[in-house]
């Protein structure tokens, strides 16, 4: 009796919408190998890092708000050190950037904005997150870190007010994280 073994690989890529190397280093591609053996066995199951299941930007007319959250141990040591981020499997970093649309099909331009975030888990426990401004060349980011414990679904209520605008743009990001 022959045992046919097939290997399937699923690839999910999150493409950055700006040219910044830093966003590319944060977002990257997530690779999930699944090995299937025989017809009756289940695929191998592994605990996976948080994956972008929801949208990672929202359009607000003349502006786009980009956002992402990931465990800080997914950052390279060099990136974490350069931006003063503590690498840990029980810490999550939120990254928010605001881009202004200059013209149709033209590159978006980063703009200064006030970014305020409320973070909480599904038990309603508030998480302390303080956003800080980071710039690299023309790129402008707001980043903040928050701790997690075990498996948590975090909700980030993000309020962004670009300089010169009076009303904030509101975005909600909900993501599951598993601390090792």
């Amino acid at each position: 009796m022959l045992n046919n073994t097939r290997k399937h690989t699923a690839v999910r890529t999150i493409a950055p919408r700006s040219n910044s190397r830093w966003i590319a280093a944060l977002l990257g591609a997530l690779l999930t190998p699944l090995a299937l053996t025989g017809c009756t066995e289940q695929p191998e199951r592994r605990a996976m890092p948080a994956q972008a299941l929801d949208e990672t930007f929202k359009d607000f007319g003349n502006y786009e708000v980009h956002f992402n959250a990931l465990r800080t141990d997914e950052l390279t040591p060099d990136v974490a050190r350069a931006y003063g981020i503590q690498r840990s499997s029980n810490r999550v970093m939120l990254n928010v950037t605001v881009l202004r649309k200059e013209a149709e099909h033209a590159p978006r331009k980063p703009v200064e904005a006030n970014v305020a975030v409320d973070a909480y888990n599904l038990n309603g426990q508030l998480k302390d997150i303080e956003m800080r401004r980071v710039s690299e060349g023309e790129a402008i980011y707001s980043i903040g870190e928050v701790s997690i414990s075990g498996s948590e679904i975090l909700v980030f209520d993000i309020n962004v007010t670009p300089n010169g605008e009076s009303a904030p743009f509101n975005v909600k990001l909900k993501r599951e994280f598993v601390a090792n």
Side-chain angles (χ1 to χ4, degrees):
M1 180 178 260
L2 294 175
N3 182 8
N4 292 332
T5 302
R6 290 181 159 172
K7 291 191 178 188
H8 298 275
T9 303
V11 178
R12 181 178 181 132
T13 303
I14 304 169
R17 294 185 57 91
S18 76
N19 293 330
S20 172
R21 293 181 323 239
W22 191 66
I23 283 186
L26 291 176
L27 300 178
L30 300 174
L31 183 64
T32 307
L34 297 174
L36 300 176
T37 57
C39 295
T40 60
E41 294 183 33
Q42 295 293 321
E44 178 182 332
R45 300 205 184 258
R46 296 184 198 172
M48 297 303 296
Q51 294 185 17
L53 301 176
D54 300 324
E55 60 188 11
T56 57
F57 84 96
K58 192 160 184 178
D59 189 286
F60 291 95
N62 291 331
Y63 295 94
E64 291 178 352
V65 176
H66 293 252
F67 46 92
N68 192 25
L70 68 147
R71 279 191 352 204
T72 59
D73 63 341
E74 295 179 47
L75 299 172
T76 66
D78 290 339
V79 168
R81 188 173 27 261
Y83 295 97
I85 299 166
Q86 178 185 343
R87 292 182 74 235
S88 175
S89 66
N90 68 346
R91 291 192 64 76
V92 170
M93 182 191 76
L94 175 67
N95 177 23
V96 178
T97 190
V98 181
L99 304 176
R100 183 177 50 240
K101 299 174 190 175
E102 297 292 319
E104 193 67 30
H105 304 295
R108 307 318 193 211
K109 300 286 184 186
V111 296
E112 295 281 347
N114 180 34
V115 178
V117 177
D118 289 324
Y120 53 93
N121 63 21
L122 294 185
N123 291 328
Q125 296 170 317
L126 290 176
K127 299 286 189 163
D128 185 32
I129 185 167
E130 184 177 321
M131 301 301 287
R132 62 185 170 97
R133 182 188 181 278
V134 173
S135 62
E136 178 182 273
E138 290 183 14
I140 303 169
Y141 309 97
S142 291
I143 61 173
E145 297 173 66
V146 63
S147 64
I148 57 170
S149 146
S151 176
E152 281 192 282
I153 296 175
L154 294 182
V155 179
F156 299 95
D157 285 331
I158 305 166
N159 296 299
V160 175
T161 309
N163 285 2
E165 297 293 325
S166 58
F169 304 136
N170 303 304
V171 175
K172 185 178 297 260
L173 173 64
K174 184 163 91 172
R175 192 76 45 86
E176 181 174 12
F177 296 93
V178 178
N180 291 338

